[in-house]
Amino acid sequence: MSHPVLSVSASYALALRAALEAAGNQNYRPGTLFVVATPIGNLADISLRALHVLQLADVVACEDTRHTQALLRAYGIDKTPAQLLAVHQHNEAQGAQVVVERLQQGARVAYVSDAGTPAISDPGARLVQAVRLARLPVVPLPGASSVITAMSAAGIAPGVHQHGEFVFVGFLPSKTTERQTAVAALAGELRAVVLLEAPHRIEALATALATLGTRQLTVGRELTKQFEDIANLAAQDFPAWLTQDANRLRGEFALVLHPVAAPQAAAADTRVLQLLLAELPLKTAVKLAADITGEPRNALYELALQLKKPAA
């Protein structure tokens, strides 16, 4: 038996009805801020509960009103311009106060970032804090996240490494010296690390990460999108991987620096010190290395003296 092919608009009309049936029985109290995750690239990754709340919301606060209006219309949700409120990194403090006022008046407010889960790397944390301080309820709606998506593709299983947990760092500094210092700190971080980067800075980040040598790296480019690309390679091979295909310089990146295995921890401390000594005076490098690795300063000072000795 063949099934008719539905148009995109008809498909989303069915999704909106399904959203009402699946999520409509929950209590969505007036005067509540709903923090709503939206897709990081693939429109199909929206949740039914997110669709329901976005329909129900009296106000949709967002990073970019034009972007969000287009997103809502793609799902068949119509909001007037007056129902959209711009709350982004440049006006979040002021925008948060407007949201608080709307909530105090009994409005249901949904907050979305341009893509993914708000208040992680995107704006939203100051807004949530302001709403909490006003003693108003905040309800999170989970969904797509580039951080979790990248980790799920990295294959870092608990028990395989001594350090199974991960830390989210996000974007490293754009200035070369500050980026190098940040990468030196990553060399001493034994846990997995999740980084984000934009296409116009990815080559500079690749060059910086290459100093980490054979440490494994999972590169996620354009995650969930049509031209998604996921690769596992040594950090030192990242620059060459980028140049093998011009298309690899396009799109948004989420990267996972894999954890350091326990036997490599001492080598990691040495590598941190080497990177810092290449850029800084010995005493400053030792102090920073101690702060980064947690190792005793005296021991690192002795190690630094050994590393600075000329080869016989």
Side-chain angles (χ1 to χ4, degrees):
M1 178 180 176
S2 62
H3 296 275
V5 177
L6 296 173
S7 67
V8 173
S9 59
S11 297
Y12 283 126
L14 288 174
L16 292 178
R17 286 200 292 272
L20 176 61
E21 293 174 6
N25 291 331
Q26 188 169 344
N27 182 23
Y28 300 93
R29 291 185 296 166
T32 298
L33 174 68
F34 298 92
V35 183
V36 182
T38 56
I40 58 176
N42 192 319
L43 286 176
D45 288 339
I46 193 78
S47 74
L48 291 178
R49 191 154 70 109
L51 287 175
H52 181 69
V53 166
L54 290 171
Q55 287 183 91
L56 186 67
D58 303 297
V59 177
V60 177
C62 53
E63 277 192 84
D64 185 323
T65 56
R66 290 172 298 180
H67 175 90
T68 299
Q69 184 73 280
L71 179 72
L72 294 174
R73 285 174 177 166
Y75 297 125
I77 299 172
D78 290 318
K79 297 292 181 186
T80 67
Q83 289 180 290
L84 297 176
L85 175 65
V87 181
H88 46 73
Q89 63 177 339
H90 303 296
N91 78 338
E92 192 170 356
Q94 301 92 323
Q97 293 310 308
V98 176
V99 169
V100 168
E101 291 171 8
R102 299 286 183 91
L103 293 171
Q104 289 171 335
Q105 294 165 7
R108 296 180 181 90
V109 179
Y111 181 72
V112 300
S113 57
D114 284 348
T117 302
I120 306 299
S121 178
D122 295 331
R126 289 190 179 91
L127 171 61
V128 171
Q129 183 182 56
V131 173
R132 290 285 190 202
L133 289 173
R135 299 185 181 279
L136 294 163
V138 177
V139 174
L141 273 67
S145 164
S146 60
V147 176
I148 300 303
T149 302
M151 276 297 297
S152 70
I156 301 170
V160 175
H161 299 86
Q162 183 180 9
H163 298 269
E165 66 269 25
F166 73 93
V167 293
F168 172 60
V169 172
F171 293 89
L172 293 185
S174 57
K175 294 183 178 179
T176 301
T177 302
E178 293 177 2
R179 188 190 305 113
Q180 289 172 339
T181 301
V183 170
L186 295 183
E189 175 55 74
L190 302 185
R191 297 168 292 183
V193 179
V194 181
L195 303 169
L196 303 178
E197 195 51 275
H200 66 281
R201 299 197 322 184
I202 193 61
E203 287 183 287
L205 177 62
T207 299
L209 290 177
T211 61
L212 299 179
T214 59
R215 188 162 175 180
Q216 288 298 295
L217 182 70
T218 295
V219 180
R221 186 182 69 84
E222 291 289 86
L223 290 174
T224 77
K225 301 178 186 177
Q226 182 178 1
F227 299 106
E228 177 181 71
D229 198 356
I230 299 174
N232 291 283
L233 39 81
Q236 64 191 14
D237 298 329
F238 189 20
W241 181 86
L242 281 176
T243 59
Q244 286 171 2
D245 185 344
N247 289 319
R248 289 176 178 171
L249 296 174
R250 301 174 182 174
E252 302 297 324
F253 288 81
L255 308 102
V256 179
L257 188 64
H258 286 229
V260 176
Q264 297 175 323
D269 293 343
T270 301
R271 188 63 179 147
V272 170
L273 200 49
Q274 286 174 326
L275 291 168
L276 293 172
L277 287 170
E279 302 292 335
L280 301 168
L282 188 144
K283 288 185 178 179
T284 305
V286 167
K287 181 181 182 302
L288 282 175
D291 292 339
I292 291 167
T293 65
E295 294 297 318
R297 191 176 300 185
N298 289 344
L300 289 170
Y301 188 82
E302 292 299 321
L303 177 58
L305 291 176
Q306 292 297 318
L307 292 173
K308 294 288 282 186
K309 275 186 180 180

